[in-house]
Amino acid sequence: PSDNTSGETAQIVTDTTAPDNPVLNPIEAGNNPVISGTGEPGATVNITLPDGSVITTTVLPDGTWSIESPIALHPSDEVTATQTDPSSNTSGETEQIVVDTTAPDNPVLNPIEAGNNPIISGTGEPGATVEITLPDGSTITTDVLPDGTWSIESPIALHPNDEVTATQTDPSDNTSGETEQIVVDTTAPDNPVLNPIEAGNNPIISGTGEPGAIVNITLPDGSTITTDVLPDGTWSIESPIALHPSDEVTATQTDPSDNTSGETEQIVTDTTAPDNPVLNPIEAGNNPVISGTGEPGATVNITLPDGSVITTDVLPDGTWSIESPIALHPSDEVTATQTDPSDNTSGEVEQIVVDTTAPDKPIINEIIAGENPTISGDGEPGATVEITLPDGSVITTDVLPDGAWSIESPIALKPGDTVTAIQTDPSGNKSEPGEQIVRLKEYANFVIDAKNMIMTTEELQRHIDDKTLDDFILKQTDAKAYRTNDQLDLTPLKVDSSTLLKSGVAGTIQKVIVKYDVTNKDISPYEVDVAMLQDQNDQSIQSMEQNDATVLYTVMAAVDIEVTEKKGGMMLPVTGESIAQILVVAAGTATMGMLVLYAGRKRKQ
């Protein structure tokens, strides 16, 4: 109150009040996330990181602060912060748990190869869970590895153009957007399987492959054929050309994504046995030809009755033949097989040897008339000879191994009778008939009376023109035979004129005509050699030694004539009884300077 003023006391204002705890904004996990907040302007913020290290920053005048973490911060990491004001007062600690609220990037989905259970893979945020949605709507999941990769096998088949999607969800349950991948097929299919191919004209070529693929088959001629693989994985196609053993066929397959496989090769084989060869009927014989048909190029193996084997090749036209090295007899068995060039052997074919060839007509020896004469001859050994006698009865006998046969006639045979015979071989083949005329035992006796048997040329010609000469006529003008008996067969022969010389005949023989009288039915025709001699140049008989005389031979009576005298009207004696007349004709005159000569041939004894 007295207005007295004391001395001055000074006091420095101080700040001893700790600032508030700094505000620590939510921290997003990351590699170098920004840590931020607010505080007292000018204060220093001290941030303690999860690894214990401390970083500092200053609160700006506007009260905010921020700093980049030098280390990666992960969800659930703990970060604390304090601030110290300029008066060095330090606040309390603020704590913040690192969080992850950011959706991860879409996962990387690698190209997916079509297949039954293909691997689906990619990359993502380590620790995230990848969810894959398959074409059928089902989902599968897998975790991203620490290195950022992931993979999983598809539980279903994936086909080209199928769609697969994937998302990833991080551990903070943040889910990414969706990644899509179209399934592709860039893998060449396996080589197709080419089944063994059998040779043939149009064989089936088959195998297995990838369903839906196209199989390309290259044939030996360079041409190609194609076919599709069926849903069951099989394929087949007929070859448009013939395939032969050792031909080469190749195949590839191209899948629907145009990926082509490697080549598969197959060598054509022949494992099919050929058909049994055809064995033609075999005719019995000493070295018969065995023949047939078969597969061209095959080898035919023929087994003969003695067990030996002969072989021959089938020709390009399918035929084969070979001569048997041994005789084959009726009922022998011959078998044959054929082996083709691929060594496949057919079944066996059998043929029984047969005899279908008729034997020759049997030979009947000369038969001499008698009560029960022996009839004999030659034939095929083993054959049965059937002899037909004049009364129509038949007798039989067998041909012996030496080819001879004989049997006694059960009836009397007289001259002129006809006996026929056929032979039947063991295979039942019958021959043509052989024939023999029964003959007298002795020659007939001929008497020639030249004097009383003269005929002029004019008379002879008249008889020829009127055809009044019986049996047959020899005409001197052209040496042809005119005959009224068609059973006589005339065959021209030659004879040496030396036969005439031996008879001691002189003069010229101009023409001869013979008439044989068969009115005597007890006498049968025999062999007769009739000489018709003509000296065209009026030469002596001796001069004919250098000439050929024409002889006409016919089946008549065998006559031997001996000249004992040479004068007109002579008798020419012969052996036997008188049964025939011989007409001798002189040319133009009735002189008896002519003689007739018979160059006779005796019968077999």
Side-chain angles (χ1 to χ4, degrees):
S2 298
D3 202 23
N4 296 315
T5 303
S6 68
E8 185 178 62
T9 301
Q11 184 66 267
I12 300 300
V13 177
T14 62
D15 180 5
T16 60
T17 302
D20 294 331
N21 294 352
V23 173
L24 193 54
N25 294 332
I27 303 170
E28 189 73 23
N31 284 332
N32 299 103
V34 172
I35 303 172
S36 65
T38 57
E40 186 175 296
T44 297
V45 179
N46 301 281
I47 301 105
T48 302
L49 300 176
D51 63 356
S53 61
V54 177
I55 55 175
T56 63
T57 187
T58 302
V59 181
L60 297 176
D62 63 359
T64 64
W65 59 270
S66 68
I67 187 172
E68 186 180 84
S69 171
I71 64 172
L73 298 182
H74 306 100
S76 300
D77 280 351
E78 182 180 293
V79 175
T80 61
T82 62
Q83 60 177 330
T84 301
D85 61 20
S87 297
S88 203
N89 300 302
T90 299
S91 68
E93 188 177 77
T94 300
E95 178 184 297
Q96 189 65 268
I97 301 301
V98 176
V99 295
D100 181 7
T101 61
T102 302
D105 293 334
N106 294 355
V108 173
L109 193 54
N110 293 333
I112 303 170
E113 188 73 22
N116 285 332
N117 300 101
I119 298 295
I120 303 172
S121 65
T123 57
E125 185 176 293
T129 298
V130 180
E131 182 177 79
I132 302 104
T133 302
L134 300 175
D136 64 355
S138 63
T139 59
I140 52 175
T141 59
T142 188
D143 293 333
V144 181
L145 300 177
D147 65 357
T149 63
W150 60 268
S151 68
I152 187 171
E153 184 181 87
S154 171
I156 64 171
L158 298 181
H159 307 102
N161 299 319
D162 280 350
E163 180 180 293
V164 175
T165 59
T167 60
Q168 62 177 331
T169 300
D170 62 24
S172 299
D173 210 29
N174 301 302
T175 299
S176 72
E178 188 175 78
T179 300
E180 178 187 296
Q181 188 65 269
I182 301 300
V183 176
V184 295
D185 181 8
T186 61
T187 302
D190 293 333
N191 295 356
V193 172
L194 193 53
N195 293 333
I197 304 170
E198 188 73 18
N201 285 331
N202 300 99
I204 297 295
I205 304 173
S206 65
T208 57
E210 184 176 294
I214 297 174
V215 180
N216 303 277
I217 301 108
T218 301
L219 301 175
D221 65 355
S223 62
T224 58
I225 52 177
T226 61
T227 189
D228 294 331
V229 181
L230 301 177
D232 64 359
T234 63
W235 59 269
S236 67
I237 188 172
E238 184 180 86
S239 172
I241 64 171
L243 299 180
H244 307 101
S246 301
D247 279 350
E248 180 180 294
V249 175
T250 60
T252 61
Q253 62 176 332
T254 301
D255 63 26
S257 299
D258 212 28
N259 303 302
T260 299
S261 72
E263 188 174 79
T264 300
E265 176 188 300
Q266 188 66 264
I267 301 299
V268 177
T269 58
D270 180 7
T271 61
T272 302
D275 293 333
N276 295 353
V278 172
L279 190 54
N280 294 333
I282 303 170
E283 188 74 20
N286 285 332
N287 299 99
V289 172
I290 304 172
S291 65
T293 57
E295 183 176 297
T299 298
V300 180
N301 305 279
I302 302 107
T303 302
L304 301 175
D306 65 354
S308 62
V309 178
I310 54 176
T311 61
T312 189
D313 293 331
V314 182
L315 299 177
D317 65 357
T319 63
W320 59 268
S321 67
I322 187 171
E323 185 180 86
S324 171
I326 64 172
L328 299 181
H329 307 100
S331 301
D332 280 351
E333 180 180 295
V334 174
T335 61
T337 61
Q338 62 175 333
T339 301
D340 63 23
S342 299
D343 211 29
N344 302 303
T345 299
S346 72
E348 186 176 80
V349 65
E350 173 187 301
Q351 190 65 265
I352 302 299
V353 177
V354 295
D355 179 8
T356 60
T357 302
D360 293 334
K361 64 174 66 175
I363 294 173
I364 308 175
N365 295 332
E366 185 175 62
I367 305 171
I368 303 302
E371 285 299 317
N372 298 101
T374 296
I375 304 172
S376 65
D378 297 317
E380 184 177 295
T384 299
V385 180
E386 298 179 19
I387 303 103
T388 301
L389 301 174
D391 65 355
S393 62
V394 176
I395 54 176
T396 62
T397 189
D398 292 331
V399 182
L400 300 177
D402 64 358
W405 60 269
S406 67
I407 188 171
E408 185 180 86
S409 172
I411 64 172
L413 299 179
K414 62 182 182 296
D417 282 347
T418 299
V419 175
T420 60
I422 62 171
Q423 61 176 333
T424 303
D425 63 23
S427 298
N429 303 301
K430 292 184 181 294
S431 73
E432 293 293 322
E435 182 178 290
Q436 187 60 274
I437 304 298
V438 178
R439 303 179 184 280
L440 284 176
K441 184 176 182 181
E442 300 294 339
Y443 287 115
N445 295 328
F446 284 80
V447 176
I448 301 175
D449 184 350
K451 181 178 180 181
N452 298 320
M453 292 188 287
I454 300 299
M455 183 183 296
T456 65
T457 303
E458 291 76 9
E459 291 173 326
L460 171 63
Q461 189 62 50
R462 185 172 64 253
H463 283 293
I464 293 174
D465 294 339
D466 296 341
K467 298 181 181 179
T468 55
L469 291 178
D470 294 335
D471 299 335
F472 73 96
I473 297 172
L474 303 181
K475 182 180 179 183
Q476 62 87 17
T477 54
D478 55 9
K480 290 183 179 178
Y482 292 83
R483 52 198 173 96
T484 58
N485 184 349
D486 290 335
Q487 293 181 350
L488 301 176
D489 186 11
L490 306 179
T491 305
L493 299 177
K494 294 285 187 180
V495 66
D496 193 322
S497 60
S498 62
T499 306
L500 303 177
L501 298 179
K502 290 177 183 178
S503 302
V505 178
T508 300
I509 297 178
Q510 293 190 346
K511 48 183 165 292
V512 177
I513 291 182
V514 178
K515 176 181 178 182
Y516 177 55
D517 185 353
V518 291
T519 58
N520 186 341
K521 299 304 181 182
D522 292 332
I523 307 300
S524 66
Y526 276 69
E527 292 179 350
V528 172
D529 289 323
V530 181
M532 173 184 164
L533 307 175
Q534 180 179 3
D535 181 4
Q536 297 178 354
N537 298 316
D538 196 23
Q539 300 178 40
S540 67
I541 194 68
Q542 289 83 356
S543 68
M544 294 183 67
E545 184 174 358
Q546 289 77 31
N547 299 333
D548 287 335
T550 301
V551 176
L552 295 182
Y553 168 89
T554 184
V555 180
M556 291 296 287
V559 179
D560 284 342
I561 299 178
E562 298 177 4
V563 178
T564 57
E565 300 180 53
K566 49 179 181 177
K567 61 181 180 179
M570 71 176 67
M571 297 295 292
L572 300 179
V574 295
T575 60
E577 67 182 36
S578 178
I579 60 170
Q581 293 179 331
I582 300 174
L583 303 178
V584 179
V585 179
T589 69
T591 62
M592 297 308 300
M594 307 296 175
L595 295 177
V596 176
L597 175 69
Y598 285 82
R601 185 174 68 181
K602 290 185 178 181
R603 65 174 173 80
K604 296 179 182 179
Q605 297 298 322

